Amino acid sequence: MSKFQWIKVSWSKNYAPNYIACCPHLDNPNMLLLAGVPTYLTDNRIKDILSKFGSIVNISSQKKPSATPKFHVPNNSKFFRNKHLSSSFRCTFIQYLDSSGLQECLDSVKMGLSINISDGCIPKTGTQKWSEEYRSTYPNEDELRSECEMYMAEFDEREKLKLQREKEMSENPDEDGWITVTKSNKLSASADSAVEKKKIYDKKMEKKKKEMLHLYNFQAREKRKEAYAVLKQKFQEDREKIAKMKAARKFKPY
């Protein structure tokens, strides 16, 4: 805990302030880690407060700290919460454009940086919070449908651009003459291999069904005897048929 510094967050005189622990990220010299961030302090609010020290490239929150944070697509949804976020306190990663912004922020924290929440950001508590949570379980159908359609349109556009970029990478070699193997290439190759595996599997199952017709040795012996008897009878019938054909011939050279 000695590596952490503390940012005071106060939003009402009637309530005790919260303290956010912050420290530079060990693997990224331009990244700041905040631990114990309350829910009422959103990522956009944090970005507005800390961007005065330097340009912020990315900001992302998750339940627990990690060595490689994942920067998710910003969620501005009114109805859907981010699954990777906690309903209480969370960790937030802030990536500055350069190390000077991070250093200026840490120097300000050492000097006693404090955050005063305005009236518009004061969190709801007690019955107000419970009432809002209850009302959120019954969203407006038209607004929900409109947001879903807008999200799917944006998603389809992102996927289209992604596939187009992967296609260009798979068709055009780089400076060294290598072609990048993309996900689409892997999917097509895996599809071909899946077809071959299906054919091999069908052959094995067909062979297995034939082997499973007779589980015991005496059944196999009886089956072979029956097949031999049928062949013998057919051979005898063919001999008799050939003998009758010879007897019925009119031309006899000898």
Side-chain angles (χ1 to χ4, degrees):
M1 296 297 287
S2 59
K3 295 182 180 180
F4 284 94
Q5 300 177 21
W6 302 93
I7 301 175
K8 180 181 177 181
V9 182
S10 57
W11 52 280
S12 176
K13 295 180 180 179
N14 300 327
Y15 295 92
N18 292 115
Y19 288 90
I20 300 175
C22 70
C23 70
H25 199 272
L26 297 177
D27 299 330
N28 193 330
N30 301 338
M31 188 175 294
L32 178 70
L33 168 63
L34 301 180
V37 180
T39 54
Y40 58 83
L41 202 59
T42 62
D43 289 353
N44 292 333
R45 179 64 175 163
I46 295 174
K47 186 175 182 180
D48 292 339
I49 295 172
L50 300 183
S51 59
K52 61 183 180 181
F53 303 114
S55 179
I56 295 177
V57 180
N58 282 316
I59 181 168
S60 177
S61 296
Q62 57 192 46
K63 292 182 180 180
K64 298 179 181 179
S66 60
T68 55
K70 295 181 179 180
F71 292 97
H72 302 271
V73 178
N75 183 11
N76 300 320
S77 173
K78 183 180 177 181
F79 306 101
F80 302 100
R81 283 182 54 85
N82 289 328
K83 291 184 177 181
H84 62 277
L85 293 182
S86 173
S87 59
S88 56
F89 295 92
R90 67 186 191 278
C91 293
T92 302
F93 297 88
I94 303 168
Q95 184 175 2
Y96 282 94
L97 182 62
D98 48 33
S99 58
S100 60
L102 174 61
Q103 190 60 44
E104 187 175 348
C105 179
L106 294 174
D107 293 340
S108 179
V109 173
K110 287 181 181 179
M111 298 297 293
L113 175 64
S114 61
I115 300 175
N116 296 317
I117 303 300
S118 61
D119 295 337
C121 298
I122 293 178
K124 295 181 180 180
T125 58
T127 56
Q128 292 182 352
K129 179 182 177 182
W130 298 333
S131 299
E132 185 178 357
E133 290 178 351
Y134 176 76
R135 286 194 297 270
S136 65
T137 57
Y138 299 94
N140 184 281
E141 293 184 2
D142 295 334
E143 293 181 0
L144 180 59
R145 185 183 299 107
S146 176
E147 181 175 320
C148 292
E149 291 176 353
M150 187 182 301
Y151 175 82
M152 291 308 300
E154 294 176 355
F155 176 79
D156 292 339
E157 187 66 23
R158 289 199 303 269
E159 288 297 311
K160 183 179 179 181
L161 293 175
K162 182 180 177 182
L163 291 175
Q164 184 178 358
R165 186 165 56 251
E166 288 182 353
K167 184 178 179 180
E168 292 176 356
M169 293 174 62
S170 61
E171 292 178 353
N172 301 323
D174 56 10
E175 298 177 354
D176 298 330
W178 296 94
I179 295 179
T180 305
V181 180
T182 60
K183 187 177 180 181
S184 57
N185 293 17
K186 292 181 180 179
L187 289 176
S188 60
S190 62
D192 296 338
S193 61
V195 173
E196 295 296 330
K197 289 181 180 179
K198 182 68 169 54
K199 291 181 180 179
I200 296 173
Y201 176 77
D202 292 340
K203 289 182 180 179
K204 287 184 178 180
M205 291 302 297
E206 185 178 356
K207 185 178 180 181
K208 190 174 182 180
K209 286 180 181 179
K210 291 181 180 179
E211 293 176 353
M212 292 294 291
L213 289 174
H214 309 291
L215 297 176
Y216 302 101
N217 292 332
F218 76 90
Q219 291 178 328
R221 286 197 299 270
E222 292 294 331
K223 188 68 176 177
R224 286 196 297 270
K225 287 181 181 180
E226 292 177 2
Y228 177 73
V230 171
L231 289 174
K232 189 175 181 181
Q233 183 180 359
K234 187 177 180 182
F235 177 73
Q236 189 65 28
E237 291 176 354
D238 291 341
R239 287 186 63 183
E240 293 176 358
K241 186 177 180 181
I242 292 172
K244 289 180 180 180
M245 291 173 63
K246 286 183 177 180
R249 280 192 308 185
K250 295 181 180 181
F251 176 73
K252 298 180 179 179
Y254 52 89

